[in-house]
Amino acid sequence: MSQSKSYDLVVLGAGSGGVRAARIAASLGAKVALIEKRKIGGTCVNVGCVPKKLFSYAANLHFDLIRSAAWGYHIPQFNFDWNYWTNFVAKDINRLNGLYEATIKKSGADYFNGFGIVEDPHTISIQSSSHPAITLQADRLLLATGTRPNIVEVPGSEYWITSDEIFSLPELPKHLFIYGGGYIAVEIATIFAQWGTKVTLATRSTFLKDFDPDIVNRLYKEFDLLNIEYIVNDSVVRLEQKDNYISVHFKSGRSVVCNVSLCAAGRSIDLEDAGIKNLLLKKNTQGWLEVDSQFQTSISDVFAVGDITGYLPLTPVALRQGENVARHLFQKDFVLKPINYENIATAVFTSPPIATVGMTLEQAKKQGFTAHVFQADFLAMKYAPHREHAVKTLIKLIVCTESDRVLGFHMIGIDAPEIIQGMAVALQAGVTKAMLNETVGIHPTSAEEWVTLR
Ligand code: NDP
């Protein structure tokens, strides 16, 4: 027999945005239910940022070990144990799932692991193999169901895997083919190439299209150093499997033979998978759920945060949106300030990584600014013992000529994400080039270059 319970807020999707919203709303005294059909923590914890960053550390270590003789270490032999490593990562993710669940329970919210299907804006049924069906009544509903990886539909598309599977492959692939030119494609390429996997990376256009072109050119040097074969402006038209190999065929007539073919072609909303196909929600022209400045969808009492809203699909953005919507709904004195999406820093965990905040020169010009560029190009000290196996650091500062205000920071080099986080604070605070000039640096660091650019 089906049970029924009533809540002030039902949150569908326990990823970054959903967990944050549920926790804050419950701590403000609201009666909250949080529903997740897969694992708590969502894409970021289970198949995204967390495993990716751990894999990136492991791959960087492999690269360093290979070059250890240049530092005077004689390590005659070492092996990388893929099974050990993937088991460790799975265990660490389980640990995080446990922490997330404990945090939710501590906040007072009820957590349901099952498939939440929205029957109407105030009625959600939960189906699960581990308990009888439950029906929840909600005064308000928050959709935080995220997105699913796109599959490029070509003959043989059943041979694609996606980023959902890449961190739990049964073995380290010998030859990995990656299709896509965005974050996931370039990150996975550099991680696996450092382990010695032969990587072929292809995009129908160019890589990291919205990033500074000089930074992207430096990324090509990284690809060369890691023996990553890359193909631009060509499209996959067919995949075929023979024995244990997959042949990937292109429009140009070329083909690539690999063991694993990863499709990293963006992500989109799947209303059925999210359990929200019964709601007649308005989407914008790009296919994302339309929300107003208070995160309300086209249906009253139905709110949405995170990747399904099509703002920058990054964990910290979903966290901020989740917190804001919870406070807006349940904290009486809360004044909802619009999020400034302009100055959000972002990083690409290649090796070395890229990080950026603010406008590129091209974006500044498009917005009507007259701007000029300061840049530095140098070899980070860490590479001194093996200069020939190094990608030089490049930093670029975009400054408004008229006001002297900094419009953007762009960097490729060791620790770029750690450095750019600080620069994002400065940008948000309205830093000028003169203020950077007045700042005394920390020596010897790469970060000090930002305050010595002349
Ligand atoms: P991105 O949006 O970064 O890139 C999508 C890529 O897929 C583009 O190169 C695009 O090509 C290509 N593409 C899209 N559709 C097709 C198609 N039909 N055929 C061929 N190519 C296609 O997506 P990702 O999948 O790399 O990542 C998803 C999101 O996850 C990102 O937007 C990012 O915000 C987030 N993410 C963030 C990370 C981080 O913060 N470090 C790490 C990983 C993911 P084109 O440019 O020609 O359209």
Side-chain angles (χ1 to χ4, degrees):
M1 213 178 70
S2 155
Q3 299 175 40
S4 183
K5 297 181 176 195
S6 295
Y7 289 92
D8 298 322
L9 179 71
V10 169
V11 180
L12 196 59
S16 306
V19 169
R20 178 61 62 91
R23 180 169 72 74
I24 302 276
S27 68
L28 290 167
K31 190 160 188 288
V32 179
L34 173 66
I35 309 169
E36 171 59 53
K37 75 186 260 197
R38 296 188 176 86
K39 287 170 80 185
I40 195 165
T43 303
C44 171
V45 168
N46 295 292
V47 287
C49 322
V50 169
K52 183 272 307 291
K53 189 84 189 275
L54 286 169
F55 269 57
S56 161
Y57 280 132
N60 290 349
L61 179 60
H62 193 97
F63 192 80
D64 286 347
L65 282 169
I66 288 172
R67 275 150 200 88
S68 59
W71 294 84
Y73 287 89
H74 299 287
I75 303 173
Q77 208 189 336
F78 64 90
N79 295 312
F80 174 59
D81 185 338
W82 175 261
N83 283 336
Y84 164 82
W85 178 247
T86 48
N87 282 333
F88 166 77
V89 173
K91 263 194 253 156
D92 210 48
I93 291 171
N94 278 340
R95 181 183 65 81
L96 290 173
N97 298 140
L99 285 178
Y100 269 66
E101 204 168 326
T103 308
I104 276 296
K105 287 191 174 143
K106 200 169 153 207
S107 74
D110 290 341
Y111 175 62
F112 297 92
N113 191 218
F115 186 20
I117 299 172
V118 179
E119 310 291 352
D120 66 57
H122 299 284
T123 314
I124 302 97
S125 67
I126 306 171
Q127 295 170 0
S128 163
S129 52
S130 63
H131 57 70
I134 301 172
T135 303
L136 308 186
Q137 300 300 325
D139 283 354
R140 287 160 175 140
L141 174 64
L142 176 64
L143 307 175
T145 44
T147 52
R148 309 289 306 138
N150 292 337
I151 290 288
V152 173
E153 293 295 348
V154 288
S157 57
E158 65 272 26
Y159 302 122
W160 290 127
I161 65 157
T162 70
S163 51
D164 283 357
E165 293 89 42
I166 191 73
F167 301 117
S168 51
L169 291 174
E171 59 188 29
L172 182 65
K174 287 200 170 51
H175 189 164
L176 172 64
F177 172 76
I178 305 172
Y179 191 39
Y183 283 80
I184 296 179
V186 299
E187 287 181 343
I188 299 293
T190 60
I191 288 172
F192 281 78
Q194 287 181 93
W195 273 319
T197 292
K198 167 81 192 134
V199 176
T200 306
L201 182 57
T203 169
R204 66 178 178 182
S205 51
T206 52
F207 296 103
L208 299 181
K209 279 207 303 219
D210 293 334
F211 286 69
D212 178 278
D214 293 331
I215 300 277
V216 178
N217 278 336
R218 189 56 52 91
L219 181 67
Y220 290 132
K221 293 223 166 15
E222 199 172 315
F223 290 167
D224 291 341
L225 184 75
L226 294 171
N227 294 319
I228 295 172
E229 179 186 33
Y230 56 92
I231 297 166
V232 293
N233 298 317
D234 205 354
S235 305
V236 171
V237 289
R238 195 172 79 252
L239 277 80
E240 281 168 357
Q241 192 183 39
K242 201 168 174 219
D243 304 324
N244 285 332
Y245 294 96
I246 296 162
S247 304
V248 183
H249 300 276
F250 285 82
K251 198 172 173 185
S252 64
R254 65 157 68 92
S255 59
V256 170
V257 176
C258 62
N259 310 101
V260 173
S261 45
L262 171 72
C263 182
R267 301 175 63 91
S268 43
I269 306 177
D270 181 338
L271 295 178
E272 181 149 7
D273 179 74
I276 54 176
K277 73 175 165 74
N278 296 332
L279 292 178
L280 293 173
L281 292 156
K282 222 191 236 172
K283 288 190 186 173
N284 64 23
T285 48
Q286 284 101 42
W288 306 112
L289 287 197
E290 209 167 86
V291 287
D292 65 15
S293 57
Q294 299 172 350
F295 306 101
Q296 170 135 339
T297 64
S298 52
I299 301 176
S300 67
D301 295 333
V302 180
F303 297 79
V305 292
D307 292 3
I308 51 171
T309 62
Y311 289 99
L312 291 174
L314 302 170
T315 280
V317 174
L319 292 174
R320 177 61 59 87
Q321 292 177 331
E323 170 152 8
N324 279 4
V325 77
R327 293 197 186 282
H328 168 63
L329 294 177
F330 299 107
Q331 185 178 323
K332 282 203 174 60
D333 58 350
F334 182 69
V335 181
L336 183 66
K337 277 202 275 172
I339 298 170
N340 179 359
Y341 293 99
E342 297 285 311
N343 291 342
I344 292 176
T346 178
V348 188
F349 291 92
T350 43
S351 173
I354 293 171
T356 170
V357 61
M359 293 177 227
T360 61
L361 183 61
E362 291 70 20
Q363 289 160 350
K365 280 184 188 162
K366 265 194 199 146
Q367 293 205 20
F369 289 100
T370 306
H372 53 282
V373 178
F374 294 85
Q375 72 180 60
D377 196 342
F378 55 95
L379 191 78
M381 199 190 275
K382 191 190 165 191
Y383 293 128
H386 49 82
R387 309 172 74 86
E388 67 292 358
H389 287 284
V391 176
K392 281 171 80 185
T393 299
L394 175 65
I395 69 171
K396 284 183 75 172
L397 182 72
I398 316 296
V399 178
C400 173
T401 310
E402 204 182 357
S403 66
D404 196 44
R405 264 184 77 159
V406 176
L407 301 174
F409 295 90
H410 308 276
M411 175 170 188
I412 180 168
I414 296 172
D415 295 333
E418 305 293 340
I419 294 168
I420 290 294
Q421 180 66 85
M423 296 304 161
V425 178
L427 195 70
Q428 186 71 14
V431 71
T432 60
K433 177 69 174 81
M435 290 174 191
L436 289 177
N437 292 350
E438 280 164 28
T439 306
V440 176
I442 302 173
H443 186 72
T445 62
S446 293
E448 69 182 314
E449 298 287 335
W450 287 113
V451 296
T452 54
L453 289 167
R454 297 291 184 266

